[in-house]
Amino acid sequence: MEGHSRRDLLRVAAGAVAAVPAIAQQPAVAAPKFFTPVEFRMVDELAEIIIPADDHSPGARAAKVAVYMDQSLAESFDAEPRQKFREGLKVVNTLSHQMHGKPFMDSTPQQRVAVVARMAENEKEPKKPEEKFFGELKGRVAFAYYTSSIGIHQEMEYKGNVLQTEYAGFDASLVPIQLPDSTK
Amino acid sequence: MVILGASTLESARLMLLSKSSAHPNGIGNSSNHVGHNFCEHVMGPGINGLVKDLVGKPRTLDDGRPGSFYLARFRNLTDKRSDFIRGYGFEGSSGTTMIPGNAFETLGFGSSYKKAVRDYAGAYISMGAFGEVLPRYENGVSIDPVVKDKWGIPVLKFNYKFSDNEKKMAADMAASAREMFEASGIEVVSVNREILTEGWSIHELGTSRMGSDPKTSVLNQFQQSHDVPNLLVVDGSSHVNASCQNPTWTIMALCWRSCDHIAEELRKGNV
């Protein structure tokens, strides 16, 4: 059943599987709720540049960080974060034009990294719009990645949230201790 | 028998609003101490450090291990300081968590950023102080003559400021935190010296203080009103000072004492 959604399983249970070719219907990437397709690809690329796949674990792209960011922005009660983020992406393209004479996604991989490096120049005290957007972007990418299954289990190798059969702590009662004389 | 436990601020508000010819300043307030001596904890100063020996080590299971700690008060117990009285404790934490907090502090991007987050997660240790705000008569709450809540009931007006003692204590919190980390071989990442604004601790205490003299206190040792014997106030109102610990257990212990007293009086047929 690997790869089937809960809904598919319910369809199987209802005997309707023959009428619905579930796997064929599954799109490779769900349609973004907030980002335009162009914006989505750009966020996906920026996220992978910030947290790339390495020899230790997959990166932001595999963790579907852009999907998470799209959903969280789409679901924000406030319109302001959406506007700010969209403006931020425009700023990235403006910077890319200034540096390489073309939009971010039309640049070479090396040029894209150079754009992000420029954005990250003053991370501690961001002043320019692209520097400020870098903090916003990176915060969202990091949150989405490190709360994903890949981030928690593959990248960080989180060992917790399991049944522990023995007390994991330090048992102070086993330490010999000389108590002060309370009569003095 | 009326047992009031609306929390320190709301109990004071209710008592101050409960005026009658017998209690013109509010019920149980012949001493004019209801709403006064408001105190809590001064917070803000703290430290973040790095245990270098833990950097890059294989991930461990830290859930359920005492990675969090409490440092009990140590100031002004034996050696007295000249710049402030009373003291503070520290609450701290360390160890691996499910979501690496350092991901949001580590600079840079790309594989070096990712590796730094991975290597340094679990190597950090941090702590923050809780200090005693001295009880002072002039620190307190009163009924606002103008502003009312959405039910038309007057709200509380705060007249509450930290004094020099809290500010000097806070300066010492930051200094002692650094001293302890350095002496422990922990690399200091950052020291926070800023005091959080008044009220931040949300440990409100002391608006109907306990005492043996009805002229200078509101409640007796059983948290029973000196003026109105069938009124007890069983929240943080009775505390005569904030000390530096979280107050819940003391509130519970005093409430237990009040309950024992009521039960005993009931048994004797006095209630």
Side-chain angles (χ1 to χ4, degrees):
Chain A
M1 287 298 158
E2 191 72 20
H4 285 237
S5 70
R6 186 167 166 272
R7 184 169 292 176
D8 296 334
L9 292 173
L10 291 172
R11 284 199 190 105
V12 172
V17 71
V20 185
I23 294 168
Q25 270 198 342
Q26 200 82 26
V29 178
K33 291 178 176 173
F34 165 63
F35 294 137
T36 65
V38 174
E39 285 171 340
F40 183 89
R41 283 193 292 277
M42 193 171 162
V43 172
D44 189 52
E45 177 64 11
L46 285 164
E48 183 68 14
I49 290 170
I50 290 171
I51 306 183
D54 59 10
D55 53 10
H56 182 80
S57 76
R61 177 166 290 135
K64 295 195 165 62
V65 158
V67 175
Y68 184 94
M69 289 167 67
D70 176 61
Q71 291 193 358
S72 73
L73 283 165
E75 290 166 7
S76 168
F77 290 133
D78 209 348
E80 200 201 332
R82 281 190 286 275
Q83 286 164 4
K84 265 178 70 180
F85 204 89
R86 183 154 278 156
E87 280 160 22
L89 292 175
K90 283 181 191 154
V91 167
V92 176
N93 267 329
T94 306
L95 179 65
S96 180
H97 268 286
Q98 285 168 6
M99 291 173 69
H100 308 115
K102 49 194 162 181
F104 182 77
M105 290 306 285
D106 294 345
S107 311
T108 65
Q110 289 78 10
Q111 287 173 330
R112 291 176 195 169
V113 171
V115 169
V116 177
R118 180 74 67 82
M119 291 166 69
E121 261 173 9
N122 283 308
E123 201 179 349
K124 271 190 171 174
E125 284 175 45
K127 288 187 184 76
K128 294 176 191 164
E130 62 266 27
E131 293 170 352
K132 287 180 179 167
F133 180 62
F134 179 73
E136 165 76 15
L137 172 71
K138 183 180 156 185
R140 286 183 179 271
V141 169
F143 187 84
Y145 182 75
Y146 289 107
T147 56
S148 73
S149 178
I150 285 174
I152 291 169
H153 297 295
Q154 295 188 51
E155 169 60 12
M156 298 309 294
E157 298 173 82
Y158 177 57
K159 302 266 188 264
N161 204 13
V162 291
L163 174 69
Q164 296 182 55
T165 52
E166 283 174 18
Y167 178 56
F170 167 76
D171 189 349
S173 71
L174 301 177
V175 180
I177 188 163
Q178 185 78 44
L179 290 174
D181 187 347
S182 61
T183 59
K184 282 181 188 167
Chain B
M1 184 76 60
V2 174
I3 298 173
L4 186 55
S7 93
T8 298
L9 296 171
E10 287 298 309
S11 287
R13 183 181 174 206
L14 199 56
M15 289 168 76
L16 290 169
L17 283 169
S18 300
K19 290 180 187 173
S20 65
S21 53
H23 304 286
N25 301 328
I27 196 160
N29 194 19
S30 67
S31 65
N32 275 324
H33 272 66
V34 174
H36 292 274
N37 305 296
F38 175 73
C39 49
E40 52 138 5
H41 297 135
V42 53
M43 294 171 65
I47 192 165
N48 190 22
L50 182 71
V51 183
K52 281 196 154 172
D53 289 348
L54 295 175
V55 176
K57 288 280 152 53
R59 199 66 64 216
T60 53
L61 170 55
D62 292 350
D63 286 6
R65 290 168 195 268
S68 296
F69 57 90
Y70 184 75
L71 288 182
R73 181 184 154 197
F74 49 91
R75 281 292 187 238
N76 291 320
L77 295 177
T78 48
D79 299 327
K80 304 289 183 189
R81 290 185 68 96
S82 59
D83 51 344
F84 65 89
I85 61 168
R86 305 295 291 169
Y88 54 89
F90 280 103
E91 290 182 14
S93 63
S94 63
T96 304
T97 51
M98 188 163 73
I99 316 295
N102 62 321
F104 305 96
E105 309 290 333
T106 305
L107 296 177
F109 69 95
S111 50
S112 59
Y113 162 79
K114 190 183 177 192
K115 186 175 183 332
V117 173
R118 181 165 72 229
D119 286 349
Y120 283 75
Y124 288 98
I125 179 168
S126 61
M127 63 183 189
F130 286 73
E132 174 171 344
V133 175
L134 297 181
R136 294 183 295 138
Y137 184 81
E138 56 271 32
N139 267 344
V141 293
S142 57
I143 297 300
D144 194 301
V146 182
V147 184
K148 294 181 169 65
D149 67 15
K150 67 174 179 177
W151 293 280
I153 302 168
V155 302
L156 286 177
K157 193 174 167 148
F158 287 77
N159 182 18
Y160 172 54
K161 282 271 173 273
F162 290 147
S163 71
D164 265 7
N165 200 70
E166 286 82 42
K167 288 169 190 164
K168 284 173 179 162
M169 186 190 285
D172 184 58
M173 291 168 174
S176 73
R178 177 182 278 279
E179 195 184 338
M180 282 187 274
F181 269 34
E182 284 177 353
S184 311
I186 299 167
E187 188 183 299
V188 175
V189 176
S190 60
V191 178
N192 190 8
R193 294 175 185 79
E194 296 292 312
I195 304 181
L196 290 166
T197 188
E198 281 94 341
W200 193 274
S201 78
I202 52 165
H203 291 163
E204 298 96 2
L205 298 160
T207 51
S208 291
R209 72 172 180 181
M210 180 190 287
S212 50
D213 184 352
K215 289 194 189 69
T216 57
S217 63
V218 180
L219 308 171
N220 70 11
Q221 73 270 39
F222 302 115
Q223 306 188 95
Q224 182 179 22
S225 165
H226 287 304
D227 300 347
V228 185
N230 66 335
L231 173 65
L232 282 86
V233 186
V234 297
D235 47 36
S237 305
S238 66
H239 294 213
V240 293
N241 71 350
S243 190
C244 62
Q245 295 85 9
N246 287 34
T248 306
W249 282 14
T250 310
I251 292 172
M252 289 165 71
L254 291 172
C255 185
W256 193 328
R257 183 205 265 173
S258 297
C259 293
D260 272 353
H261 177 68
I262 296 167
E264 182 62 17
E265 291 297 295
L266 200 62
R267 195 183 62 75
K268 288 182 189 162
N270 294 339
V271 177

